[in-house]
Amino acid sequence: MATARSRARSNMALVKYWGKRDDRLVLPFTGSLSMTLDALTTETEVTFTGAPGSDELLLDGAPAQGGEVKRATELLNLVRAEKPGLGAAKVQSRNSFPTAGGLASSASGFAALAAAAAWAAGLDLPTEQLSILARRASGSACRSLFGGFVEWVRGERPDGTDSVARPVLPADAWDVAMAIAIVDTGRKKDSSRDAMKQSVLTSPYFDAWVKTTTADLEDARAAVLARDLERLGAIAERSFLKMHATAITSDPPAIFWKGPTLELIARVRELREAGTGAWATIDAGPHVAVLCRRADVGKVAQALRQISGVRDVVETRPGPGVERL
Ligand code: PMV
């Protein structure tokens, strides 16, 4: 029996990842840049039993669904390929936030699983290598291995060994924050995996997305290093709008927004016009994350809470990378 425990956090992309150039290896068409979110954590324990059998996965105390077990097993298989004889795994994973709330748990979940599995196997991998492991399960998870502001480098090699996450700015180096408005949906989150595939295959705007994202990424990296929030915020809004434009124009279309989503976008603009620096970003769902100065996050959260259809607002600052517990 070999056990290890980890804690990882979710992340929110400011320059989005949308579209794979290689589905199996999870290699993106473009690089992306995110902020690791201090408030959204997953703690995971992995035990390799040394005996053959099926992997067992408990999420917040309950047995996981088939699709989740399959993705976890695929990741564990990559670790087992490095170290024969590990056997079936028992995995227990707990989120600090409700998974049913529709907030991305795959990023923190797979980052924590990759690290705990590698450590339980006794593999001494650099964090960049752990990011490759997490990437194979969920692209955005590779960025959660590092804290603060993180870039997922596109890479050029067909085998994906250079498609890794890299830290850009540590969590405590910039006093920014995010307020994330959770919109009531009443149903399960749409799959980003399927929607991005449809965008690649059918959106007439996909080429334009790829062409312009490289420049957005350079610009965003420079803005982070210069701690220029206005510049970063403007790029973040541009990036999520372009990403959603490819989704909306794919066949069949993927429209993730609900009524409150549009009202939240409008409220963020009003805040800005009234002098509070606030910039929106939206993943493959209806929720709206708002980037702002740390001193303004209470005020921003309060403004978002007033929109009808907003169930909750989570406030967070940048958080650290993966930790061994
Ligand atoms: O890693 P996935 O397959 O969950 O895709 C995530 C895609 C977005 O969240 C929409 C954007 C991103 O860069 O995180």
Side-chain angles (χ1 to χ4, degrees), residues 2-10 41-48 55-59 64-80 86-95 105-123 125 127 129-138 141-142 144-145 321-325:
T3 298
R5 293 179 65 217
S6 68
R7 180 188 298 126
R9 288 164 173 82
S10 196
T41 66
T42 302
E43 288 185 10
T44 297
E45 181 179 286
V46 174
T47 301
F48 286 108
D55 297 320
E56 284 172 30
L57 174 58
L58 288 180
L59 292 182
Q65 307 300 311
E68 288 159 336
V69 180
K70 184 168 171 280
R71 281 169 89 181
T73 291
E74 281 167 7
L75 199 165
L76 293 162
N77 285 343
L78 296 172
V79 173
R80 281 186 282 250
L86 290 168
K90 288 191 195 305
V91 179
Q92 292 194 50
S93 200
R94 278 193 186 276
N95 290 317
S105 58
S106 67
S108 52
F110 286 117
L113 179 63
W119 293 334
L123 297 174
L125 299 176
T127 314
Q129 291 298 317
L130 293 178
S131 86
I132 292 184
L133 208 50
R135 188 199 79 215
R136 294 285 300 269
S138 168
C142 80
S144 277
L145 273 304
V322 72
E323 300 163 290
R324 187 160 190 169
L325 301 177

Side-chain angles (χ1 to χ4, degrees), residues 180-219:
I180 308 172
I182 312 297
V183 170
D184 258 323
T185 53
R187 66 186 193 94
K188 215 176 146 287
K189 183 180 169 283
D190 293 291
S191 150
S192 56
R193 189 167 272 223
D194 296 343
M196 76 171 72
K197 177 126 193 153
Q198 276 316 110
S199 295
V200 174
L201 295 176
T202 65
S203 172
Y205 299 156
F206 193 76
D207 284 348
W209 159 256
V210 172
K211 278 200 188 101
T212 59
T213 294
T214 308
D216 287 347
L217 182 61
E218 303 269 302
D219 220 6

Side-chain angles (χ1 to χ4, degrees), residues 44-321:
T44 297
E45 181 179 286
V46 174
T47 301
F48 286 108
T49 59
S54 313
D55 297 320
E56 284 172 30
L57 174 58
L58 288 180
L59 292 182
D60 291 323
Q65 307 300 311
E68 288 159 336
V69 180
K70 184 168 171 280
R71 281 169 89 181
T73 291
E74 281 167 7
L75 199 165
L76 293 162
N77 285 343
L78 296 172
V79 173
R80 281 186 282 250
E82 296 296 315
K83 200 83 180 267
L86 290 168
K90 288 191 195 305
V91 179
Q92 292 194 50
S93 200
R94 278 193 186 276
N95 290 317
S96 68
F97 51 97
T99 7
L103 273 182
S105 58
S106 67
S108 52
F110 286 117
L113 179 63
W119 293 334
L123 297 174
D124 186 19
L125 299 176
T127 314
E128 262 190 19
Q129 291 298 317
L130 293 178
S131 86
I132 292 184
L133 208 50
R135 188 199 79 215
R136 294 285 300 269
S138 168
S140 58
C142 80
R143 297 183 306 238
S144 277
L145 273 304
F146 292 102
F149 289 83
V150 182
E151 179 175 344
W152 173 9
V153 180
R154 176 196 188 275
E156 297 303 326
R157 292 185 207 135
D159 66 0
T161 49
D162 58 351
S163 189
V164 297
R166 296 220 169 112
V168 176
L169 192 72
D172 54 5
W174 199 8
D175 55 353
V176 296
M178 227 174 233
I180 308 172
I182 312 297
V183 170
D184 258 323
T185 53
R187 66 186 193 94
K188 215 176 146 287
K189 183 180 169 283
D190 293 291
S191 150
S192 56
R193 189 167 272 223
D194 296 343
M196 76 171 72
K197 177 126 193 153
Q198 276 316 110
S199 295
V200 174
L201 295 176
T202 65
S203 172
Y205 299 156
F206 193 76
D207 284 348
W209 159 256
V210 172
K211 278 200 188 101
T212 59
T213 294
T214 308
D216 287 347
L217 182 61
E218 303 269 302
D219 220 6
R221 191 192 308 116
V224 168
L225 291 172
R227 295 170 181 73
D228 184 340
L229 192 59
E230 296 213 357
R231 189 165 155 205
L232 182 63
I235 301 160
E237 289 213 340
R238 207 158 69 213
S239 180
F240 95 76
L241 287 166
K242 284 190 284 191
M243 172 203 130
H244 283 268
T246 73
I248 290 167
T249 53
S250 62
D251 182 14
I255 304 174
F256 294 104
W257 301 353
K258 304 285 170 198
T261 312
L262 287 168
E263 289 187 34
L264 284 160
I265 295 173
R267 178 56 59 95
V268 169
R269 290 189 173 194
E270 284 163 16
L271 278 168
R272 235 168 25 228
E273 276 156 21
T276 302
W279 293 269
T281 182
I282 306 177
D283 276 348
H287 317 301
V288 179
V290 181
L291 179 68
C292 60
R293 287 180 187 83
R294 196 169 298 169
D296 290 335
V297 71
K299 180 164 76 175
V300 170
Q302 187 56 32
L304 304 180
R305 269 189 203 103
Q306 286 163 0
I307 307 286
S308 124
V310 170
R311 180 151 35 103
D312 193 13
V313 178
V314 178
E315 297 175 32
T316 180
R317 52 178 66 191

